[in-house]
Amino acid sequence: MTALRITRRSFLAISATLPWALSARASRAIPVGLELYSVRDELKRDPEGTVRAVAQMGYQGVEFYAPYFDWTEQQTKQMRKLLDDLGIRCFSTHNNEDYLHPENIQKAHDRNLILGSKYVVQASSKPQTSLDGWKTVAAGLNAAAEHLEPAGLKAGYHNHQPEFTPMEGKRPIEILAKETKSSIMLQLDIGTCLEAGSDPVAWIRANPGRIRSMHCKDWSPDPAKGYSVLFGEGTADFKNIFAAGENGGGVEYYLIEQEGSRFPALETVHRCLDAYRKIRPA
């Protein structure tokens, strides 16, 4: 048998490739989940059956939205057990603005800990008429983060069109980014960012480390289609969006979201996952 000899030069050459290889492996390991608003009617009829169906499709996690807040503690524990049995995670929850207010934040804290969630995301804000109003929203997020972080939970904010629509010469999302703690996630809704006329890639690059998750929702400028297009059928440049998210953006997980389509809801999210895997294989 011929002995394998590695010279110092070849060792250094091999070693130089390791950081890239490890980085690539870490990048590919980013999980994909489903924002369960996408299957809201099914979830209302049969929460456990719907979550089970989503897991069987191959989704690695979920994001529960506002109705989870009304579950009893026992219902929340039962859902956590199901997630554990299925081998999937609750990455985050979407919350009405008042869930992060002082009178409700402890309940949100407790429910998210039971679910195993990491991020408590404010899903939107009531309409603001000035940039000072958006500064008030940012202050509320900072206060919520102070309450959540001792338990290992993080606060987040999810944009819609208004946050990317200029006001007083500035986009409100810029105020939120500047006025909130760096620990607060800026969850990027790709579709609404596009509809408001902004560039998702430019936004991600301008906010390194803050875009820890994205709602992978496509959009078409055709009024007859809008958000009803499936993942990959609209104008979103997902390859470059993913590259930006994974190379400086700080993305930890992706979430498919769909507001409706020409197919039934469960078939829709299955098709979206298949399309996602073609662009970004597991």
Side-chain angles (χ1 to χ4, degrees):
M1 181 180 293
T2 304
L4 177 63
R5 298 181 61 190
I6 301 178
T7 67
R8 180 176 182 276
R9 180 177 295 177
S10 61
F11 173 78
L12 291 173
I14 292 169
S15 298
T17 69
L18 289 176
W20 177 89
L22 291 172
S23 175
R25 181 178 298 176
S27 174
R28 287 195 299 271
I30 295 171
V32 60
L34 180 69
E35 162 50 62
L36 288 168
Y37 181 77
S38 308
V39 289
R40 50 199 174 276
D41 293 335
E42 288 74 9
L43 191 71
K44 183 177 180 180
R45 285 193 295 267
D46 183 3
E48 293 193 5
T50 301
V51 170
R52 188 174 289 107
V54 166
Q56 289 171 346
M57 291 176 194
Y59 282 99
Q60 296 158 285
V62 295
E63 182 176 73
F64 290 103
Y65 73 107
Y68 90 93
F69 193 77
D70 294 325
W71 295 344
T72 65
E73 182 175 329
Q74 184 54 40
Q75 285 174 315
T76 310
K77 289 179 177 178
Q78 188 172 335
M79 182 58 74
R80 172 61 186 274
K81 182 179 184 304
L82 176 64
L83 295 174
D84 290 343
D85 290 346
L86 293 171
I88 64 172
R89 295 167 50 201
C90 172
F91 297 131
S92 47
T93 59
H94 254 214
N95 298 266
N96 292 344
E97 184 174 17
D98 64 331
Y99 295 179
L100 277 71
H101 288 176
E103 66 272 21
N104 292 319
I105 189 69
Q106 187 62 40
K107 182 178 178 181
H109 166 285
D110 295 345
R111 293 294 188 267
N112 277 267
L113 283 181
I114 292 171
L115 288 170
S117 171
K118 180 177 179 180
Y119 290 102
V120 183
V121 182
Q122 182 173 322
S124 64
S125 168
K126 63 184 179 183
Q128 303 297 325
T129 58
S130 69
L131 292 181
D132 283 342
W134 286 104
K135 289 179 181 178
T136 300
V137 174
L141 287 166
N142 287 332
E146 291 291 338
H147 188 101
L148 296 168
E149 289 179 359
L153 293 166
K154 301 290 185 183
Y157 189 87
H158 176 90
N159 70 269
H160 289 90
Q161 297 91 335
E163 290 83 355
F164 278 100
T165 302
M167 171 187 291
E168 300 174 20
K170 209 170 190 68
R171 296 177 300 178
I173 192 71
E174 297 173 56
I175 299 298
L176 293 176
K178 180 181 178 182
E179 300 288 334
T180 54
K181 298 171 56 174
S182 61
S183 61
I184 294 175
M185 171 176 68
L186 300 174
Q187 185 183 68
L188 176 61
D189 185 306
I190 295 166
T192 56
C193 175
L194 287 169
E195 186 181 19
S198 285
D199 178 354
V201 172
W203 176 247
I204 295 166
R205 289 175 176 164
N207 293 274
R210 299 291 302 272
I211 317 297
R212 297 176 202 132
S213 72
M214 302 183 197
H215 274 205
C216 299
K217 180 170 65 183
D218 216 333
W219 175 75
S220 168
D222 181 344
K225 296 179 179 179
Y227 293 113
S228 67
V229 292
L230 300 184
F231 179 97
E233 292 181 348
T235 61
D237 181 2
F238 283 111
K239 285 187 177 181
N240 283 325
I241 291 170
F242 292 160
E246 294 167 27
N247 292 279
V251 71
E252 298 173 10
Y253 59 97
Y254 293 113
L255 292 162
I256 299 292
E257 184 187 20
Q258 192 73 25
E259 293 192 10
S261 83
R262 59 195 182 276
F263 303 106
L266 287 172
E267 181 181 352
T268 291
V269 298
H270 200 170
R271 285 174 176 267
C272 286
L273 182 60
D274 287 345
Y276 169 91
R277 290 298 187 201
K278 289 176 183 176
I279 293 176
R280 195 183 183 284

